[in-house]
Amino acid sequence: MQPMTGISAELKELLLAVHHKVKMEKGSFLFQEGSAAKELYIVLSGKVQVGKIIPDGRELTVRMCTDGDLVGELSLFSSSPKYMLNAKVTESGEAAVIYKDALEDQLSKDNKLALELMKWMSLQHRKTQTKFRDLILHGKKGALYSTLIRLSNSYGARSREGILIDVALTNQELANFCGTSREVVNRLLSELRKTGAISINKGIITILDLDYLKMEIDCEDCPVDICNIE
């Protein structure tokens, strides 16, 4: 399992004191919005998309979680907690289950560990804030350009042409990250290809001009630990 980004060794050890593990099948849910929140999960393998269904039926993907990521943390220390988002499995794998009550009990007894978790959750909050900033300030175009930049930071591999995003995503999945329709993403990607900013080969995107994407959304060059898709 990969390291949990931003989490101290002590907190990682506590989180790994799991109750049991579960198999994740593609298309299933670890949890769904509105259901009682009794468990947290650490992704051991596979991929999980955390997001929300917008009232008109569209999806907004907030995070893509992979090996070592904690999912369901927003329910901690809430009375009568319910999950605020959906956690949909997009690649089969395995997850470790932590009972919420047991984790809260441990954190209440150890202020240092509680502070470490607060720091990690603050980092996740900053990531979400910057994503919504790009969406609000620059609309659908800003949301897509921001998503491409974040994907390059999370899955980018240098090639002779540019930065190859080494993960297969459909245009609908890209649209879910942007809270828009597949048709809008199709049009925006076509425009980017015409300007020479990206190329697409068999569904794999290569960013040819990263500076162009950043310039178009007034990118603040946030650290990679904030500007990523995870």
Side-chain angles (χ1 to χ4, degrees):
M1 185 174 67
Q2 298 174 356
M4 299 177 202
T5 306
I7 291 182
S8 69
E10 294 86 353
L11 184 56
K12 178 181 176 182
E13 184 178 350
L14 172 61
L15 293 177
L16 289 178
V18 300
H19 185 268
H20 63 280
K21 298 176 183 178
V22 294
K23 296 291 185 182
M24 304 189 304
E25 297 296 333
K26 182 177 179 179
S28 65
F29 289 84
L30 283 180
F31 54 79
Q32 291 182 276
E33 181 181 358
S35 59
K38 299 179 180 179
E39 300 168 337
L40 289 81
Y41 301 86
I42 298 174
V43 179
L44 302 177
S45 61
K47 288 187 175 66
V48 176
Q49 278 189 356
V50 178
K52 186 176 181 68
I53 303 293
I54 301 172
D56 63 8
R58 287 177 293 147
E59 291 185 46
L60 176 61
T61 301
V62 178
R63 293 170 60 200
M64 180 187 291
C65 300
T66 56
D67 302 7
D69 285 333
L70 179 65
V71 185
E73 73 282 355
L74 294 179
S75 66
L76 283 171
F77 295 104
S78 300
S79 57
S80 302
K82 296 184 182 298
Y83 292 114
M84 299 173 63
L85 301 166
N86 299 308
K88 184 178 181 179
V89 179
T90 57
E91 180 183 300
S92 298
E94 189 177 44
V97 180
I98 305 171
Y99 286 135
K100 173 180 170 293
D101 290 346
L103 179 57
E104 287 178 345
D105 184 58
Q106 289 293 324
L107 291 170
S108 66
K109 296 175 181 177
D110 193 322
N111 292 337
K112 182 179 178 181
L113 290 181
L115 180 59
E116 292 293 336
L117 183 62
M118 288 175 61
K119 289 178 180 177
W120 180 82
M121 292 180 67
S122 175
L123 176 63
Q124 304 310 308
H125 181 59
R126 289 170 65 193
K127 290 181 184 180
T128 303
Q129 277 189 319
T130 58
K131 291 176 187 177
F132 288 143
R133 175 199 64 198
D134 294 337
L135 176 59
I136 292 169
L137 293 180
H138 301 285
K140 297 178 178 65
K141 183 182 82 170
L144 176 62
Y145 289 14
S146 172
T147 297
L148 292 174
I149 294 168
R150 293 172 189 278
L151 284 168
S152 74
N153 287 335
S154 294
Y155 298 103
R158 288 282 177 181
S159 67
R160 286 184 298 177
E161 292 78 18
I163 304 173
L164 184 146
I165 298 177
D166 193 19
V167 60
L169 290 173
T170 66
N171 286 5
Q172 183 59 62
E173 288 171 326
L174 281 174
N176 292 347
F177 278 108
C178 305
T180 188
S181 68
R182 179 173 55 84
E183 290 74 18
V184 168
V185 166
N186 290 346
R187 175 175 57 80
L188 292 172
L189 289 176
S190 178
E191 292 174 0
L192 284 173
R193 292 176 76 172
K194 289 177 181 177
T195 63
I198 68 169
S199 66
I200 304 176
N201 182 23
K202 297 181 180 178
I204 299 296
I205 297 174
T206 298
I207 298 178
L208 307 176
D209 191 346
L210 184 62
D211 289 337
Y212 174 81
L213 297 180
K214 290 183 174 183
M215 179 184 67
E216 287 292 299
I217 62 170
D218 301 319
C219 178
E220 298 178 1
D221 281 321
C222 296
V224 173
D225 63 344
I226 292 176
C227 186
N228 59 57
I229 209 72
E230 300 172 348

